[in-house]
Amino acid sequence: MLSIYSSAENKQLTRLENIEPGCWINLIDPSDEELVFVSKNTTAPMDFLRAALDEEETSRIDIEDCTLIILDIPFTDMDDNSLTYDTYPIAMIHTDKVIITVCLKNSKVLSDFAEGKINSFFTFKRSRFMLQILYRIANYYLIYLRQIDKKSYIVEKQLHKTLRNKELIQLLALEKSLVYFSTSLKGNEITLEKMLKLDLLEMYDDDKDVLEDVIIENRQAIEMCTIYTNILNGTMDAYASVISNKLNIVMKFLAAITIVMAIPNMVSGLFGMNVSGIPNSALGFWYVVAFIVLLVIFVIYFLNKKDMF
């Protein structure tokens, strides 16, 4: 999908039909025809436009006739009525006349700009616009990390009541999301530091402060991701130990029951043998029953001392 936007000083964002100087070209999962159209009407090479369409594309910077910056951006999705988290690459192409964004999915980061939710946003201020996008990316990482933390807390409370596979699978999915976030954030950090050192964009002093704020927010997200990952790893290990311990308790109890149940069978089998030497009297049956009861009580007392009940 191809969308073209433009905004002038103190004017609202408007949608255009054709590419004009100072506009913002937003490509969401574009077709080949849309890529060719943008490439012909701008100085953006085709390989720059296709770079972010690879899900495995890493965060990087490339410079030819224009500047390409690729970062990983967070996304949410619904899977089996459960909210999941993932990352996809987004390409920001800074040319001498326009700015171009390319992504496989429609992100809330770009939607906030397209819907006019961002103050002091102007498409002709290309460098400032790119920095604003970077800042929103860092903010959404922090927002989604807090959501993951709250979600893991809710699942843990449910696990206190019952150890079901459903909750454990949810914790595993959250742990996998944190791994994706951690990998993407570390790659983004390297790219952002390169931007600060190389001075790729024409930035005023205020713009440099914004870039430094983005780097700080990104580092904070990395720290949060590390903390939440360690907490989830510890939680998963703890519940694995709890499950193993419960299984051991059940197996000990069943073994104890098996021992107790085997005693009457053994004694009654001995006294039921049709051989000489076995006591035979009118009260023989009750003698056997009393002997079995006393023996079972003794065995239960012994097993209880060994903490098998």
Side-chain angles (χ1 to χ4, degrees):
M1 181 179 69
L2 170 63
S3 303
I4 305 171
Y5 302 94
S6 178
S7 63
E9 194 78 33
N10 299 325
K11 289 187 178 180
Q12 291 184 346
L13 188 70
T14 57
R15 190 160 180 172
L16 305 178
E17 295 295 331
N18 297 310
I19 297 175
E20 298 179 0
C23 70
W24 164 35
I25 303 171
N26 186 27
L27 293 166
I28 304 297
D29 192 18
S31 63
D32 292 336
E33 292 78 9
E34 290 172 337
L35 292 174
V36 171
F37 172 76
V38 173
S39 181
K40 285 184 177 180
N41 289 273
T42 63
T43 58
M46 185 62 73
D47 57 335
F48 278 19
L49 295 172
R50 293 185 181 275
L53 301 181
D54 181 7
E55 293 184 8
E56 305 300 326
E57 186 69 32
T58 57
S59 179
R60 62 185 176 90
I61 297 174
D62 202 351
I63 303 173
E64 289 185 12
D65 296 333
C66 52
T67 302
L68 169 68
I69 300 174
I70 296 180
L71 294 175
D72 285 330
I73 189 171
F75 279 89
T76 59
D77 200 1
M78 292 298 296
D79 185 17
D80 294 333
N81 296 324
S82 179
L83 193 64
T84 59
Y85 301 86
D86 204 346
T87 61
Y88 287 90
I90 181 174
M92 293 172 285
I93 304 171
H94 186 285
T95 71
D96 56 347
K97 293 183 179 180
V98 300
I99 184 169
I100 306 169
T101 56
V102 187
C103 192
L104 276 172
K105 291 187 176 183
N106 189 22
S107 166
K108 288 185 178 181
V109 174
L110 299 178
S111 297
D112 289 346
F113 289 96
E115 295 170 4
K117 295 181 180 179
I118 308 300
N119 296 326
S120 303
F121 155 57
F122 305 105
T123 57
F124 64 90
K125 294 183 178 180
R126 296 183 297 279
S127 298
R128 172 62 66 88
F129 179 29
M130 291 186 71
L131 293 174
Q132 288 174 316
I133 293 176
L134 296 176
Y135 195 79
R136 295 298 293 178
I137 291 173
N139 278 341
Y140 269 104
Y141 269 114
L142 293 174
I143 291 171
Y144 291 155
L145 283 170
R146 293 188 184 99
Q147 289 181 2
I148 290 174
D149 183 47
K150 291 180 180 178
K151 206 172 175 188
S152 63
Y153 177 73
I154 293 172
V155 175
E156 285 177 32
K157 288 186 67 177
Q158 293 173 346
L159 280 172
H160 285 310
K161 300 177 182 177
T162 175
L163 290 174
R164 296 184 302 179
N165 290 335
K166 179 181 178 182
E167 283 75 19
L168 292 173
I169 291 172
Q170 287 179 348
L171 282 182
L172 183 62
L174 293 176
E175 189 177 15
K176 185 168 67 173
S177 299
L178 288 174
V179 172
Y180 291 150
F181 276 20
S182 179
T183 304
S184 298
L185 285 166
K186 290 176 181 177
N188 289 355
E189 183 182 29
I190 296 172
T191 302
L192 292 171
E193 289 178 349
K194 282 183 180 179
M195 289 180 61
L196 187 62
K197 292 177 181 178
L198 298 177
D199 289 333
L200 297 176
L201 307 176
E202 295 181 2
M203 294 185 290
Y204 299 101
D205 292 337
D206 292 342
D207 294 338
K208 290 183 179 180
D209 292 338
V210 174
L211 182 55
E212 290 176 355
D213 290 341
V214 172
I215 294 174
I216 292 172
E217 293 281 306
N218 194 80
R219 287 174 181 169
Q220 182 182 352
I222 292 174
E223 292 176 1
M224 289 175 61
C225 195
T226 302
I227 293 171
Y228 295 157
T229 301
N230 292 336
I231 292 173
L232 267 183
N233 287 338
T235 302
M236 293 290 288
D237 292 341
Y239 280 112
S241 299
V242 169
I243 292 172
S244 178
N245 189 43
K246 284 192 172 185
L247 179 61
N248 289 336
I249 292 172
V250 171
M251 294 303 296
K252 285 169 61 178
F253 181 76
L254 292 177
I257 292 296
T258 302
I259 294 172
V260 171
M261 294 296 293
I263 294 172
N265 290 330
M266 181 180 66
V267 175
S268 61
L270 289 173
F271 279 90
M273 296 174 64
N274 189 19
V275 293
S276 61
I278 300 297
N280 188 10
S281 67
L283 298 176
F285 173 78
W286 297 109
Y287 290 152
V288 172
V289 171
F291 178 73
I292 290 173
V293 170
L294 291 174
L295 189 57
V296 168
I297 291 173
F298 172 77
V299 171
I300 292 175
Y301 174 76
F302 176 78
L303 293 177
N304 191 47
K305 287 189 68 176
K306 295 297 183 180
D307 197 26
M308 292 192 70
F309 275 105

